[in-house]
């Protein structure tokens, strides 16, 4: 396979500086190489700008909302200004609320706890588990995987029209698949939901880091995303959108910060007056640094020119897809077909290879970090691989030996901080592994495929 070494037009955009871009890792074959982080869909490296902003704030760290001291007041201002920054980044409407959470999973569980009694939830089987599983106390309709964007809209319209009884309903849909990277027709799905009296929440965990998200323009009711996918450190997330269901619900967590007034009753009980702002669902001491890091990332992406970042990423997507297409043994997974728009998330399998073995060889022999498994989207990957729902397979390496087929796939993902060289190395590594085989022997240990230390392959 020939690998293009043509550089991306610098007038489009340069990769943004990220932490870890100079980290070197050992190779099992000897020596070291700069680590190629190509697992952005799981956790993107933090932007250097974000880390610098957090470091500049750290000496002024203080408790928020309830402190009289200068540092506490400064931290409170920073926390609430971060809320406004995120609202602007998402194009929130005037009466929308921005609630800070721990992650996308936490955000969607918060919303699940706030839906009205009798609410019916509609979710495609193609969703990440974070949006597939939180609706345990609701009547859930799981929709089959569509094969075109138009089919997705038609499937939803049919399901909503047939619902009985007719009452509150919520649609949960991803903006970009965490398996295929394909963009979903969010605006059209929102229009279908609203036409049938339903609301819609957008899981933007994979969309927000790669593409502008505008709540008002998309006409969605809520958006959820995670900081650690948006080039910020772990531990922070966002649920933004309409306030009425959130204000009508009991606080997601009961405790300090969520309550405005607590008083004992004569009968020995307690009366609580809960906040009517976002604080209602932000009990406890908040993750101020995590919140500030999300706001910093929002500013950094906006100031870099999101359209330019999108254009550069699309060139990377085209290069990876074209390079993989030159290897006949590689099958790229897709719901909507080759022409579907997508972000920098691509999953594939390699004929004759256990996916965990292939991913382990990319790491051990080339210093490339990708992901293998079912990507916390088990029903979707099973559908894409044409497997029976009962076939064995789970997140992580299976018990199969390195050369055996596995019900797993390999995912390469990239974004604003990815250098050209990482893409070129990845494509070269795929070509060499397929044509020449691994240089080392591998075995399964504690559920992971790992190099058999001291045992080179006979090639």
């Amino acid at each position: 396979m020939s690998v293009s070494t043509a550089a991306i037009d610098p007038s489009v955009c340069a990769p943004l500086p990220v932490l870890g871009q100079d980290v070197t890792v050992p190779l099992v074959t000897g020596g070291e190489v700069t680590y190629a982080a190509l697992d952005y869909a799981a956790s993107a490296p933090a932007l250097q700008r974000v880390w610098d902003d957090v470091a500049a704030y750290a000496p002024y760290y203080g408790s928020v909302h309830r402190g009289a001291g200068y540092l506490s007041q400064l931290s409170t201002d920073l926390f609430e200004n971060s809320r406004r920054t995120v609202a602007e980044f998402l194009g929130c409407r005037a009466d929308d609320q921005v609630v800070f959470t721990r992650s996308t999973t936490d955000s969607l569980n918060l919303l699940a706890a706030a839906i009205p009694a009798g609410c019916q939830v509609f979710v495609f089987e193609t969703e990440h588990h974070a949006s597939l599983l939180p609706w345990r106390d609701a009547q859930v309709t799981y929709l089959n995987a569509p094969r075109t964007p138009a089919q997705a809209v038609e499937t939803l319209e049919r399901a909503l029209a047939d619902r009985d009884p007719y009452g509150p309903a919520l649609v949960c849909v991803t903006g970009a698949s965490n398996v295929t990277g394909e963009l979903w027709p969010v605006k059209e799905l929102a229009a279908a939901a609203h036409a049938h009296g339903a609301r819609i929440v957008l899981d933007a965990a994979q969309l927000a880091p790669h593409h502008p998200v505008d709540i008002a323009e998309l006409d969605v009711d809520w958006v959820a995303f995670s900081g650690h996918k948006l080039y910020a450190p772990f531990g922070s997330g966002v649920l933004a959108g309409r306030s009425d269901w959130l204000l009508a619900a009991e606080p997601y967590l009961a405790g300090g910060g969520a309550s405005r007034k607590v008083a004992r009753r004569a009968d020995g009980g307690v009366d609580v007056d809960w906040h009517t702002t976002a604080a209602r669902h932000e009990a406890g001491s908040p993750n101020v640094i995590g919140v500030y890091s999300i706001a910093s990332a929002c500013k950094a992406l906006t100031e870099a020119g999101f359209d330019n970042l999108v254009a550069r990423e699309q060139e990377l997507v085209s290069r990876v897809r074209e390079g993989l297409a030159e290897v006949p043994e590689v099958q790229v997974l897709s719901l909507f077909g080759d022409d579907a728009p997508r972000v920098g998330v691509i999953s594939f399998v390699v004929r004759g290879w256990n996916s965990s073995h292939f991913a382990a060889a990319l790491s051990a022999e080339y210093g490339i970090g990708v992901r293998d498994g079912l990507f916390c989207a088990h029903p979707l990957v099973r559908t894409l691989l044409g497997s029976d729902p009962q076939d064995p397979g789970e997140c992580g390496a299976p018990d199969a030996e390195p050369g055996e087929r596995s019900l797993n796939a390999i995912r390469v993902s990239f974004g604003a901080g990815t250098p050209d060289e990482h893409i070129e190395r990845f494509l070269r590594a795929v070509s060499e592994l397929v044509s020449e085989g691994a240089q080392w022997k591998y075995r399964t240990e504690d559920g992971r495929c790992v190099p058999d230390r001291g045992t080179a392959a006979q090639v």
Side-chain angles (χ1 to χ4, degrees):
M1 180 187 79
S2 59
V3 178
S4 171
T5 57
I8 288 177
D9 182 353
S11 66
V12 174
C13 188
L16 299 184
V18 295
L19 295 183
Q21 59 189 354
D22 298 323
V23 169
T24 60
V25 294
L27 301 180
V28 71
T29 51
E32 293 185 338
V33 67
T34 303
Y35 184 65
L38 296 178
D39 193 16
Y40 275 48
S43 292
L47 291 173
Q48 184 67 53
R49 152 75 180 276
V50 172
W51 200 253
D52 291 344
D53 284 350
V54 168
Y57 161 66
Y60 301 93
Y61 183 92
S63 63
V64 302
H65 295 148
R66 293 175 292 279
Y70 178 82
L71 296 190
S72 179
Q73 294 178 38
L74 186 150
S75 294
T76 298
D77 287 345
L78 179 140
F79 186 81
E80 294 303 333
N81 285 335
S82 294
R83 200 187 303 276
R84 286 186 281 273
T85 297
V86 172
E88 182 178 349
F89 180 76
L90 294 174
C92 287
R93 297 155 297 224
D95 56 351
D96 284 340
Q97 283 190 346
V98 172
V99 180
F100 290 117
T101 66
R102 295 179 300 167
S103 60
T104 306
T105 301
D106 196 35
S107 295
L108 293 173
N109 275 271
L110 188 165
L111 184 60
I115 60 177
C119 184
Q120 298 179 69
V121 176
F122 297 81
V123 55
F124 287 93
E125 68 172 350
T126 47
E127 293 293 308
H128 186 281
H129 294 171
S131 43
L132 191 72
L133 302 180
W135 321 103
R136 289 168 291 183
D137 296 328
Q139 178 184 333
V140 185
T141 298
Y142 294 104
L143 307 175
N144 291 334
R147 287 299 181 169
T148 66
Q151 189 180 82
V153 178
E154 292 166 5
T155 299
L156 179 61
E157 286 181 329
R158 249 189 336 267
L160 290 171
D162 292 343
R163 79 182 193 269
D164 184 35
Y166 191 91
L170 177 68
V171 177
C172 182
V173 68
T174 188
S177 170
N178 77 304
V179 177
T180 67
E182 292 164 313
L183 297 178
W184 277 63
V186 176
K187 191 170 184 177
E188 292 80 2
L189 290 168
H194 293 153
H196 290 277
R199 297 191 180 191
I200 185 168
V201 56
L202 170 63
D203 175 353
Q206 297 297 339
L207 184 62
H210 303 277
H211 198 281
V213 174
D214 190 302
I215 288 181
E217 194 273 331
L218 292 172
D219 197 24
V220 294
D221 298 282
W222 294 277
V223 164
F225 71 89
S226 297
H228 71 97
K229 299 185 192 297
L230 194 78
Y231 310 103
F234 290 103
S236 55
V238 168
L239 176 67
R242 302 198 182 279
S243 61
D244 54 349
W245 284 8
L246 298 177
L247 294 181
E250 288 293 302
Y252 182 48
L253 297 173
S259 56
R260 290 192 299 186
K261 183 174 65 175
V262 179
R264 289 293 302 274
R265 297 195 304 264
D267 63 5
V270 174
D271 286 324
V272 183
D273 183 13
W274 301 108
H275 272 295
T276 56
T277 64
R280 184 183 189 89
H281 296 289
E282 294 177 345
S285 296
N287 180 1
V288 182
I289 285 181
V291 165
Y292 182 44
S293 68
I294 287 183
S296 173
C298 291
K299 288 181 179 179
L301 293 173
T302 301
E303 292 169 5
F306 220 146
D307 289 343
N308 291 334
L309 295 174
V310 171
R312 180 178 188 275
E313 184 176 312
Q314 288 307 302
E315 291 199 24
L316 295 180
V317 169
S318 296
R319 186 185 303 180
V320 171
R321 288 180 57 80
E322 290 167 3
L324 293 177
E326 294 184 26
V327 185
E329 292 83 356
V330 171
Q331 175 195 350
V332 173
L333 305 183
S334 175
L335 268 178
F336 300 152
D338 290 342
D339 295 331
R342 64 196 74 221
V343 299
V345 180
I346 299 170
S347 295
F348 61 98
V349 292
V350 183
R351 188 169 63 248
W353 282 81
N354 173 306
S355 292
S356 296
H357 182 198
F358 200 89
L362 286 174
S363 175
E365 300 179 26
Y366 295 90
I368 298 170
V370 297
R371 181 153 296 224
D372 65 277
L374 299 177
F375 318 123
C376 291
H378 294 191
L380 172 56
V381 178
R382 291 176 187 277
T383 295
L384 294 172
L385 294 179
S387 73
D388 185 278
Q390 301 305 314
D391 282 350
E394 60 185 30
C395 288
D399 292 332
E401 292 301 314
E404 298 178 11
R405 178 187 178 275
S406 59
L407 181 58
N408 281 355
I410 305 148
R411 184 180 70 190
V412 57
S413 52
F414 41 88
T418 303
D420 293 11
E421 189 275 329
H422 290 185
I423 298 300
E424 293 157 7
R425 193 195 320 172
F426 166 74
L427 292 174
R428 184 177 68 254
V430 170
S431 176
E432 291 177 357
L433 285 173
V434 170
S435 61
E436 303 171 13
Q439 299 180 56
W440 215 258
K441 288 187 177 181
Y442 294 79
R443 57 189 172 82
T444 299
E445 179 181 286
D446 297 328
R448 295 299 309 165
C449 191
V450 297
D452 193 349
R453 293 293 176 183
T455 309
Q458 300 299 313
V459 296

